[in-house]
Structures are given as structure tokens and as C-alpha cells.
Amino acid sequence: MASAPTQELPAHVPADKAVWLDFFSRSNVDVCPQETMIPEIHRTLGPITWCSNIFPGDHGGWLLTKVDDMHAVLRDPDNYTKNGMGKFAQSIGEDWLVIPTETDPPIHGEYRKALNPFFAPQKIAKMRDELHDRAIRQIEEFKDRGHCEFVEDFSSKFPIYIVLDLLGLPQERMGEFLQWEKDIFHTNDFELRTSSIRKVVDYLKEMIADRRANPGDDYVSGIFDYEVEGRKWNDKEVFGHCFNLFIGGLDTVTSMLGNIFTYLAKNPDKQQELRDDPKKIVLAVEEFLRAFAPVSVFRIAAKEIEIHGQKIMPGDYVGISTAIAGYDPDYYDNPEEIRFDRKAPHISLGFGIHKCLGMHLARMEMHTALEQWLKLVPPFRVADGFQIQYHAGNILHVPRLELQWDV
């Protein structure tokens, strides 16, 4: 699961603190990362390790394994910047930022002041009926068949319908958008990643120009009136926010749902627990967020720092895997056990000033998917003969999930 890195290490990185991890291989594997790779990481690695393949394209950086250290980094924007951390603009020779994700204080707070009202709980609550209707319509397309491919038939579409509607993007191009997303986040081919970023950028810039010329009542047209530092957002800022919604909305909830339903298909007793008492779904979503968080995020050291005696140099990437955080045995009691009464805090939707902008929508999507699925679909299981594969990388997910049930 861990091996020695093949490339030359930076001068300040001790050889005994450097590894190449299968966990960041950005490839399909036959073992469940939450059951195998993550527990091994906690057993064998210290609190900070140089991982030579932590970023796409096998770029190296520091991996933290302890929640307390992650908290310290995430609440310290003076020493750890997010400016350009995703290398999206840089990879195509441009200089915009993903907004608000790649911005630091004080301007980050200005952006959030403009954005938070739209994504506030009371605003998102108004979408509840639409979410329920979407989920029901999708499930009714296959529930009487007795089987489905969960990712294709449900989880890749349900949350994405909502984002495309929000941005006013054509639903009929969903397949193309999903392929771009896959080639950005689920590959180790940096050239393919860069090519797909360019496709997204070109499409969104054309869309934004059209909305400026022909504004409507959609969310994107409303961004033109947002203000920061006493002025309207400029073109780069409008684009940077649209890029954030596009890449953030087309992947993470889909990945979470795949991880959750894989677990429920393999554990009929836990599935039945939620069927017997649907009120448990609210806390179950929080436990699933802890146990099946899919995303690794990054900060960039802004100055020379030390963590547990290890020197971190300016420009070093510091990786924080929400998946690894959820299994820290020093922070969670028996983390490998899934308990719907745990009520434990987690960083799966961010921490500190960079809490996920869409966290209330993400929670509602997961709650709605579980609630409607368990109402409409009989007890389900992994389809006979189907071998689950898992994707290990910066976003953990199941590429395919064949389910079946008795009708």
C-alpha cells in the first residue's frame, strides 16, 4: 500500500518520511479504501509524511493524519494559503482564482458575504420539494425492474440536475460535462486534466458572455450584481465563481452517494435500521460524512513552518484528506464502526472560514436520496456476481455499483 518514492526528494524532506501511496494512485482498486488503505495509513504513518503522489500528476506534498493538526492548518490562513492551490488556471496559463475556494482573507470574507445569503439554510430549504420530486422521478424509472446501475441511473444524475438548473446549463449535455469532470478529478494524466480544464473554461466563458448580453433570472445573471470592496465583481471573479460551482457540484455528492449506498448494500442490518426508523437518517448522514468523506484538499505553505519537528518550506503543498481524518483513532472512538448515534464532529464539509459554500444543499441532497430510496425501493444488495471496484485518489468513489432487489 505504501512504497518508496521514485523521484528525487526536495532537500528538506528526509528519505524516511517519504512514501508513494496506493491511496493517491488515482486508479481503480479491488479493496475498499475505508476498510484497508486508511486504517493502514493510521497504523504505519506518523502525523506528517511526504507523499510523492499526493497531487495529480504525481506531484509531492505533506500528508497530515491527525485531525488536531488538520484543524490547526485549516484555521491558519496566515501561514497556509489557498491562493491557486488547485492549479486550475496555472495549468492553462491563466491567472483567475476559483471563488471563494482559492481565496484568502480579507477578500475571502467579502466574497462569502455576497454568496452566503443565497446558500443559507432557509434559502436551500425552499428547494426541498424540487429535490424530492427529482429523486422520486428518477427512482420510479427503474424501481420495478429489480435492479439498477446506481451511479449511471441515480447518483451521477440526481445532484447534477440541481446544479445544472441552478446555473441554467443544458441538461442534455450532462454526459459531456460529467466526462470533463472525470478527466479533471479522476485521472493521473496531467495533460488530460489540463485539456479538460480548458474545455470547461471555454464553455463557461462563452456562457457567461451570453448571460451578460442576455441576462435572465438565473443564478449566473445574478452574480453580475454582486459587490466586493465597494465595486461589482469583474469578469475573472464571475468566471471563478461559476467554475467553482461547476466543479464542486458535479462530483462530490455523487461520490458520497456511491460510497454510502455501497455500504448499505453490503450491510443489510444497517440498511434495515434506517428503514425501521427514518428519523435516524439525519444523524446517519453526519456519520456517513465522517466515514465516507471522499475529498482531499490542500493548503500551500506561505512561509517556513514546523509541524511535529518537520520543516515545511514556502510553496510546499500540505494535504488534508477528509477521508483519512474520519478514521483518526485519537479523535474518534472505534472509527471503523458505523454508528447512527455517534454525533461526532467532522471536517468533511470543510472547517473554519472555508466551510463548504454548498454544505446545506449537499446535506439535503443526501438526506433526500436516502429517504426516498428507502421508501420506494425494497431491501437492496450488491447484484449477484458483481465485483465492486473502488477508485483511490483525491476523490474516493465507486465507478460502478450494480444493485438488485426482489420485486
Side-chain angles (χ1 to χ4, degrees):
M1 297 261 184
S3 55
T6 56
Q7 68 266 54
E8 185 176 349
L9 298 175
H12 63 291
V13 177
D16 62 353
K17 280 196 175 180
V19 297
W20 186 98
L21 289 176
D22 287 348
F23 182 78
F24 289 110
S25 64
R26 289 165 284 277
S27 64
N28 292 347
V29 297
D30 294 326
V31 297
C32 174
Q34 290 87 358
E35 295 174 0
T36 57
M37 295 179 179
I38 296 174
E40 182 179 2
I41 284 171
H42 281 294
R43 284 195 303 269
T44 61
L45 298 185
I48 181 167
T49 303
W50 180 268
C51 177
S52 64
N53 62 327
I54 200 169
F55 194 84
D58 286 348
H59 297 288
W62 298 102
L63 174 67
L64 304 180
T65 60
K66 295 300 174 186
V67 172
D68 287 340
D69 294 328
M70 298 180 197
H71 284 169
V73 169
L74 293 174
R75 64 163 66 101
D76 185 2
D78 292 333
N79 287 315
Y80 303 94
T81 178
K82 290 200 77 178
N83 193 302
M85 68 162 192
K87 297 185 179 179
F88 298 110
Q90 301 97 310
S91 70
I92 59 171
E94 297 186 1
D95 63 352
W96 42 268
L97 296 175
V98 181
I99 292 176
T101 304
E102 288 188 328
T103 62
D104 296 323
I107 199 167
H108 172 268
E110 292 286 312
Y111 289 132
R112 289 299 290 248
K113 187 190 301 183
L115 295 168
N116 285 342
F118 185 89
F119 293 93
Q122 59 271 27
K123 189 87 170 182
I124 297 301
K126 295 178 181 178
M127 302 173 66
R128 187 183 308 277
D129 290 344
E130 179 187 355
L131 284 172
H132 283 203
D133 290 345
R134 281 282 190 192
I136 291 168
R137 286 202 302 272
Q138 277 189 256
I139 293 168
E140 286 182 339
E141 290 180 6
F142 53 77
K143 70 182 180 67
D144 295 331
R145 288 202 317 243
H147 65 89
C148 76
E149 199 286 283
F150 181 78
V151 178
E152 171 66 23
D153 292 334
F154 187 77
S155 68
S156 68
K157 296 176 180 176
F158 170 59
I160 294 165
Y161 277 130
I162 307 303
V163 174
L164 296 186
D165 282 347
L166 176 68
L167 294 176
L169 302 182
Q171 300 284 353
E172 61 270 18
R173 295 190 66 174
M174 180 187 293
E176 188 178 10
F177 296 154
L178 287 173
Q179 187 61 50
W180 295 346
E181 187 86 1
K182 177 182 177 183
D183 292 341
I184 291 172
F185 288 109
H186 303 158
T187 182
N188 205 36
D189 183 336
F190 210 74
E191 288 187 13
L192 176 61
R193 182 182 189 266
T194 299
S195 172
S196 298
I197 290 170
R198 170 54 68 190
K199 290 175 182 176
V200 173
V201 169
D202 289 346
Y203 177 80
L204 290 179
K205 284 184 176 179
E206 183 178 341
M207 179 271 290
I208 292 167
D210 179 70
R211 300 291 168 81
R212 276 207 184 273
N214 305 284
D217 59 0
D218 58 280
Y219 180 79
V220 175
S221 297
I223 302 172
F224 303 141
D225 291 326
Y226 286 176
E227 293 190 356
V228 62
E229 298 179 330
R231 59 170 175 82
K232 301 282 190 183
W233 286 24
N234 61 37
D235 287 345
K236 285 184 180 180
E237 290 166 328
V238 172
F239 169 79
H241 181 51
C242 289
F243 188 87
N244 186 50
L245 292 177
F246 187 93
I247 64 171
L250 268 62
D251 198 284
T252 48
V253 174
T254 292
S255 298
M256 272 295 306
L257 289 174
N259 295 338
I260 290 169
F261 277 76
T262 297
Y263 173 80
L264 292 176
K266 292 166 57 178
N267 294 273
D269 57 325
K270 305 303 286 187
Q271 184 184 146
Q272 193 60 47
E273 186 177 345
L274 295 181
R275 291 180 183 277
D276 292 340
D277 187 0
K279 292 179 182 177
K280 289 187 176 182
I281 291 175
V282 173
L283 282 180
V285 165
E286 297 308 307
E287 177 70 342
F288 288 144
L289 279 165
R290 176 197 69 82
F292 300 118
V295 179
S296 294
V297 298
F298 298 93
R299 298 294 186 269
I300 304 171
K303 58 188 74 171
E304 186 175 325
I305 312 157
E306 276 198 10
I307 300 178
H308 293 286
Q310 173 56 52
K311 183 186 295 184
I312 313 297
M313 296 300 290
D316 281 0
Y317 267 57
V318 179
I320 294 169
S321 168
T322 59
I324 291 173
Y327 288 81
D328 178 0
D330 293 334
Y331 197 82
Y332 298 105
D333 176 44
N334 194 12
E336 293 170 50
E337 179 187 5
I338 308 298
R339 290 203 325 259
F340 298 150
D341 63 348
R342 188 184 289 271
K343 299 182 182 179
H346 56 74
I347 63 169
S348 305
L349 293 170
F351 182 83
I353 63 170
H354 281 285
K355 281 280 229 181
C356 174
L357 185 66
M359 61 184 174
H360 305 300
L361 178 58
R363 281 187 168 100
M364 188 185 293
E365 288 172 338
M366 286 183 275
H367 184 281
T368 300
L370 282 163
E371 180 183 52
Q372 298 305 324
W373 187 282
L374 295 174
K375 275 185 187 177
L376 298 171
V377 179
F380 57 91
R381 58 194 181 276
V382 177
D384 297 340
F386 178 72
Q387 178 64 45
I388 301 172
Q389 283 202 311
Y390 303 82
H391 185 86
N394 298 95
I395 299 182
L396 303 179
H397 68 283
V398 288
R400 289 181 58 82
L401 178 59
E402 298 281 357
L403 299 178
Q404 69 182 55
W405 52 90
D406 298 330
V407 293

